[in-house]
Amino acid sequence: MATLSQIARLAGVSVSVASRVLNGDPKLRTRPDTRDRVLKAAKDLNYTANYAGRALRLARSKALALIIPAVSSPLFADLLSGATEAAEAQEYTLLIGRSDRITAGSDTLRRLVGEGRVDGFLLQRSDDLSDQALENLVANDARIVLVTSRTPGRRGSVILDDVAGARLATEHLVSLGHTRIGLIGGVPSSDIARRREQGYALALHEANLRRREAWVRRLGYSPEMAAAAMESLMATDPRPTGVVVANVNGAIGALTALRRLGIDVPGEMSVVAYHDEWVAEHTWPPLTTVKMPYYQVGVQAVQSLLSQLSGSPPQDVVVRDPAPLLVQRMSTAPPPPRP
Amino acid sequence: MATLSQIARLAGVSVSVASRVLNGDPKLRTRPDTRDRVLKAAKDLNYTANYAGRALRLARSKALALIIPAVSSPLFADLLSGATEAAEAQEYTLLIGRSDRITAGSDTLRRLVGEGRVDGFLLQRSDDLSDQALENLVANDARIVLVTSRTPGRRGSVILDDVAGARLATEHLVSLGHTRIGLIGGVPSSDIARRREQGYALALHEANLRRREAWVRRLGYSPEMAAAAMESLMATDPRPTGVVVANVNGAIGALTALRRLGIDVPGEMSVVAYHDEWVAEHTWPPLTTVKMPYYQVGVQAVQSLLSQLSGSPPQDVVVRDPAPLLVQRMSTAPPPPRP
DNA sequence: TTGAAAGCGCTAACAG
DNA sequence: CTGTTAGCGCTTTCAA
């Protein structure tokens, strides 16, 4: 590849002029034709600035890393698209990492920025990283923003409006006439799970419905865990007629469990899921979901990170736009008539 | 972060010694205690070599990019894991890009390596990039390996054993007693699709079954396309009693179509899918699939790329290990009795 | 056994 | 309006 000095030589100028022309330095005044010669030389030699040279000089890599737990969830695509889009708009490159590698004692994060490979991180924690471990890990490092989760001891996060989302899901069941509504939620240690449960509780409260501890399960979001949760919910008496599953992938597992038990959906049991993704259209029955602005979380997260990197104090933001949207499909219906 | 010269100063040696100690230069002979002082200093200052400095000096970034079309397919996770694992084993970093951005005229690829951000690529083409466009794009660039696809004019690829996989899927239906077997395949311009169709044809041939053009569809792998294909297959007369769908995500769509049509699976129609993924366990009925070594393709691809980068001539490799595996679930059964 | 020094490609302060 | 120059952090040749 061509280097700056080759451009300069070809254009008959010094490297510094070439550099400034190519970077569009605003406070540079040149004769139009010098400028043109440089531009032409760059085009002729098909010049692209060497990344390492620039990074070394500027002490910035213009790269960010997105660290996420599970790349096998289709949900992840939205977040990634948003982040990629926003990063590219600012001429940043995005690296993907897996957060199951990020354990309490690991220095993966520190190493990546220590090496200068990336300027900062978007970190979506995995559920088995405790608040304490997380805080130790990220300390008050302004080069990190937490995605979808927050932790008390630390600023710099962007999350969904989980209470609004879970509330909308619950209200949907309420509006169909359900009075016995269960929740298949995340693990209790997760702030995300707690917010979603709060939304659920809020909707029940406003509908004057009793919230029964026997109808809530907190095993986690995986299809397997949610399936187990659903099975145990079905063993309660009386059992719920509708359930909100706090994650689509879990809802898919829950549907499987119901099928195994021979329970008709939505005839005997309604299921509404938090989050929407393409698979939800193809389950049986197709899942009624609440679509959350996950893409926008990605966008906002890189914007937050970039502004932290340029010195602004870390903020905790919650993305409310677009608002949670109920995508009505076929897994929900009025409850069966009381015998 | 600490720099080499800080280490050197702290250890009371020159930067050159520090560098060589830290890099484990084999032809360096030092007094044990000099070595120890350097190591200790590095540990005390928590040293990590600056990435840009090294990249600039060595003119290599130690980073690779994986460019794929659809990040929303759970399948992708396997490929990514394999590639990541293999890359990290060689101390390379992996970048993810989306190949829908890589259009015929685009210079995204050239720019990424032109800038020196990455040393090379794994490229999984999107179906709508023609052979010709692809060849123009990648020319004979040794910094690229094609993943899951190949193109006649070019060496340097790693693919699955698609004919074996599709054949296994088809044989499964044959062994259940099906004689009227359809195929929902990829678009005709795709070499991948052609190989899978070949495997299908081969199995039919060996079973002395007639291959009917009316029973094959070539619309593509998306759930929507496969659903459309399935619908039109069901309009044939006589219609097939079993169908192999050349991609899981397509199979999920195909199941949806069958449900819309009120056709019982596997009672009236058996469905077997190429590729396995977690969602396949949770469809209704759970999908019988052929699991392909996708993870290993990821591993092999970075190995191939790395060896191309170090000068070996590009090879075309097909991953056969582990062999395609039939994962029997509930979407396949013997054909209905002939009336 | 160790050190000095050059130079990778780039930007920016400063000088003309 | 344009050029000279220092230096980012690193590896490596060469000399001591």
Side-chain angles (χ1 to χ4, degrees), chain B residues 45-121:
Chain B
L45 297 188
N46 189 8
Y47 175 75
T48 16
N50 177 277
Y51 170 66
R54 181 174 278 172
L56 181 56
R57 177 64 230 238
L58 300 179
R60 292 186 317 146
S61 64
K62 283 273 211 170
L64 306 175
L66 170 63
I67 313 283
I68 40 134
V71 76
S72 69
S73 166
L75 276 175
F76 160 63
D78 272 350
L79 184 64
L80 178 61
S81 304
T84 307
E85 214 87 344
E88 287 185 356
Q90 313 290 331
E91 322 220 82
Y92 271 73
T93 302
L94 199 67
L95 263 142
I96 313 293
R98 279 166 35 192
S99 62
D100 47 10
R101 305 271 177 88
I102 314 290
T103 56
S106 103
D107 59 341
T108 320
L109 296 188
R110 256 172 244 308
R111 263 220 2 232
L112 271 171
V113 335
E115 285 181 323
R117 252 176 209 267
V118 300
D119 296 331
F121 294 95

Side-chain angles (χ1 to χ4, degrees), chain B residues 140-200:
Chain B
N140 266 327
D141 201 320
R143 294 166 302 191
I144 302 184
V145 355
L146 260 28
V147 173
T148 65
S149 173
R150 21 166 94 152
T151 179
R154 179 176 198 282
R155 286 245 163 186
S157 67
V158 4
I159 63 173
L160 287 164
D161 191 350
D162 290 304
V163 354
R167 182 175 169 180
L168 179 59
T170 314
E171 285 171 349
H172 170 62
L173 293 178
V174 169
S175 74
L176 286 170
H178 291 267
T179 55
R180 306 202 309 263
I181 300 176
L183 173 72
I184 292 180
V187 296
S189 61
S190 152
D191 61 305
I192 306 176
R194 288 192 301 262
R195 283 192 298 277
R196 294 184 190 168
E197 181 163 347
Q198 198 182 328
Y200 159 79

